[in-house]
Amino acid sequence: MTAPVDPRAGWDVPAPGTMPHTADLEPLVSRVLAPNPSGMTLDGTNTYLVGAPGSGQAVVVDPGPAAGTHLAAVEEALAARGARVVAVLVTHHHADHAEAALPWGAHFGAPVAAADPAVAGPRGRVLTPGERLVLAGTTIGVVPTPGHTADHLAFRLESGAVLVGDHVLGRGTSVVTHPEGDVLAYLESLRRVHDLGPSALYCGHGPELTVDPGAVLEFYTAHRRYREQQLLDALAGGPRTVDQLVAEVYAAVPRALWPAAAQSTRATLAKLAAEGRVRPAAGGAVALA
C-alpha cells in the first residue's frame, strides 16, 4: 500500500516557528498564538476571536493555557477589533485548549460553553451537537467531532470556515489518544466535516488551511487507513507488542513523537480488535485474529 501524499506539501504555509503571533484571518476571525510551543502543540495553541465586524463583541474559542502574557495578547487583539468578550467556547477538555476557560470567563464576565460539563463549569453551558449559537453578531454551528477525545467539538462559521480544534492540525496529523480516543468515531467525524464543504479549516495548532480543505480531510482519512494497513502487515510477520509495532511502523518519525504514536497505535488496535481482525497474544502482544 502506497503512503498517501499530503496535499499541504505543495502549499505556501509558514514554516514551523514562523507563524505570526496575531493574525486577522477573515472579517469574522482573528487568531492569537499562545506561548506554549512543543512537539505536540506545534507553534502553540491557536486562540480564535470570532465576531461580526462592528458588533463590538467577540467570542473566544479555545483560550488555551492560563498564561498572563497570552491573556494580554488576546486583550490587545480584542481592542484592535473594538470588541468585548461575550462567550468562551472550548473544543475539548485538554489543558492546552481549556485551562484558561474558567479563569478567562470570570475575567471577562462571560459564560463558558463546552461539551464537557467540567470544562463549562457550574455556571456554564453544556453544548449539544447541532446547536446554532447566535453570538457576537453572527451564528456559530456546533459540530460533533469525537475521536481525538469523546467530547471534541468543531465550530462552523457563517463564512463556511470551520474551527476544528485538534481534529485536524495545520501540520502533520492528529493523535487519537487511548483509551479516551476512538478511531471509528474519528473517521466518521472526518467525513462529517468534509460533508460541510468547509471554505477553510482553522486548526487548534499550526497554520490555517485555506487552499483545499477537502483534500486535507481526504488525506487524513487515507493516512489513517494507511497506518492501519501497516499494522496489519507488521502483524502478518507474527505477534508484536505496541512498542515493537511503533518502532517498525514509525521508524521514520522522530523518537520524541513515539509516545504519541503509541497512543494512536493502541487506538487503532482497539478498532481492529472490535472488528475481529486482531486478538491478544502472549506477553502483552497482539496477533492477527
Side-chain angles (χ1 to χ4, degrees):
M1 185 177 183
T2 304
V5 177
D6 189 338
R8 295 167 294 184
W11 296 3
D12 183 17
V13 297
T18 67
M19 284 179 61
H21 286 278
T22 304
D24 294 324
L25 305 183
E26 60 172 88
L28 277 174
V29 185
S30 298
R31 173 181 48 73
V32 182
L33 182 62
N36 62 331
S38 72
M40 293 296 291
T41 62
L42 306 182
D43 302 72
T45 299
N46 292 325
T47 296
Y48 294 97
L49 307 179
V50 179
S55 68
Q57 300 178 346
V59 174
V60 174
V61 179
D62 281 354
T69 56
H70 186 42
L71 176 58
V74 166
E75 290 185 315
E76 184 175 342
L78 287 165
R81 294 180 67 91
R84 64 179 179 86
V85 176
V86 294
V88 177
L89 306 184
V90 185
T91 58
H92 64 296
H93 70 272
H94 284 167
D96 58 316
H97 293 257
E99 182 182 60
L102 291 177
W104 285 21
H107 175 77
F108 291 117
V112 177
D116 187 336
V119 175
R123 298 183 180 179
R125 176 174 177 177
V126 177
L127 297 174
T128 57
E131 279 192 78
R132 292 174 62 81
L133 308 174
V134 180
L135 294 165
T138 189
T139 301
I140 300 171
V142 178
V143 182
T145 50
H148 175 71
T149 62
D151 66 317
H152 202 287
L153 299 173
F155 299 107
R156 188 172 192 270
L157 308 182
E158 287 183 339
S159 65
V162 181
L163 279 66
V164 287
D166 279 358
H167 187 58
V168 179
L169 304 182
R171 301 189 196 90
T173 54
S174 184
V175 175
V176 178
T177 56
H178 182 80
E180 69 174 340
D182 184 308
V183 172
L184 281 173
Y186 185 79
L187 291 170
E188 178 58 33
S189 295
L190 286 173
R191 287 190 288 271
R192 184 175 298 115
V193 175
H194 187 280
D195 289 347
L196 294 175
S199 60
L201 299 176
Y202 296 150
C203 309
H205 307 282
E208 56 275 8
L209 304 175
T210 59
V211 176
D212 191 347
V216 177
L217 293 163
E218 290 160 12
F219 163 72
Y220 260 56
T221 298
H223 174 80
R224 285 288 166 196
R225 300 298 188 196
Y226 175 67
R227 289 299 193 203
E228 181 178 298
Q229 189 59 51
Q230 284 184 300
L231 293 175
L232 292 171
D233 291 346
L235 292 172
R240 301 282 196 279
T241 65
V242 168
D243 287 345
Q244 289 170 333
L245 287 168
V246 169
E248 186 171 342
V249 171
Y250 292 88
V253 174
R255 291 183 68 96
L257 298 179
W258 282 14
Q263 289 294 316
S264 283
T265 297
R266 289 188 177 92
T268 301
L269 290 172
K271 170 186 178 291
L272 293 171
E275 295 170 344
R277 301 168 73 185
V278 302
R279 59 175 176 79
V286 178
L288 293 178

